[in-house]
Each structure stands twice: as structure tokens, then as C-alpha cells.
Amino acid sequence: MTTRHRPGLAESLETCRPVPPDKPNILKTLLAAQSVLGYVPTSAIPQIAQVLGVTDAQVAGVLSYYSDLRTQAPGRHLIRVCMGESCMANHGALVLRAIQEHVRVEGGGTKLEGRFTVEQMSCAGNCAVSPTVMIDEDLCGRVTPSDVQSLLEPYR
């Protein structure tokens, strides 16, 4: 049974189909699917497995292992708060809490009418100006809890 999703997923999966002697690259394929859809719906697992010639369990295992892969549609804006050592030492947890309170989401997830998704990331590679927050592709350093409202205003 083939599950149909938005146009572009099938084409994206075809570009990831392994050509012998190459082995299937499940992670590359899941990232390609997520770049097309914004997430990888679990209903697409059988289609991905079929294209790659692997089992559903192998695809599901990789999908569940990597925290950068999402199984639910994100909000219009993705807020990722760095939880690396430097950011944590510079009160990154307080910034995360301030963001969660501002967008009314606990722990992680999507709120404010699907506008924002809040996630934690292990390292943004921006340690010199920690704590760091990424909003979509925008990298913001030296963020304080009092900066949160003005930081998020342009994304409303």
C-alpha cells in the first residue's frame, strides 16, 4: 500500500533511491522528506521503506533516533534554544523558560494557533555569544529572558 502525500515527496524519495552497489541511506532520505514536507509523517514510513528496500522498522528506528527529525508539522516559525554547555552556563534554561511562557507552550511543541514550535538543540555552535536562540534560520546570540518579547515580535 502506498500512502500519498504532498507533491514533491515521491520525487524527493526517488532521488534517494539507492543504485547498486550503493546502500540505502535512511537518514538522507528522511531529511529529504522533511525538507519537502517540513516533517516526516509516520504514514510515509512504508513508502520510504519501499523506495529504499528496507523494513518499516529500520526507517522508524532512524526517525525516532534523531531529534532533528519531526513526525508532526511544525509551526510557521521554529524556535530552537541551545542547551549546550556554554549556553546553559549563561542561563540558557531561563531563556528557554521565558520563550515557553511567552508562546504558552510547556516542554516543547507548537502553540499560539500553530505560529511557533519550540524545541531544544544540543549545540548551535555560537558559544562565544551564548545563550543562543535560532528562529527559523536566524541565529540570535546573547539572548536574555527580557529580550524574548522583542525578539519574537517580528515573527508574529
Side-chain angles (χ1 to χ4, degrees), residues 95-117:
V95 172
L96 174 62
R97 188 173 327 132
I99 290 171
Q100 290 170 332
E101 289 172 2
H102 184 75
V103 301
R104 296 186 297 273
V105 61
E106 290 185 29
T110 303
K111 291 290 181 183
L112 281 180
E113 302 84 38
R115 186 175 300 138
F116 295 110
T117 295

Side-chain angles (χ1 to χ4, degrees), residues 7-30:
L9 178 61
E11 294 83 4
S12 177
L13 293 179
E14 282 305 314
T15 65
C16 297
R17 186 182 294 275
V19 178
D22 293 342
K23 295 183 180 190
N25 187 328
I26 298 171
L27 178 58
K28 176 183 171 186
T29 305
L30 291 171

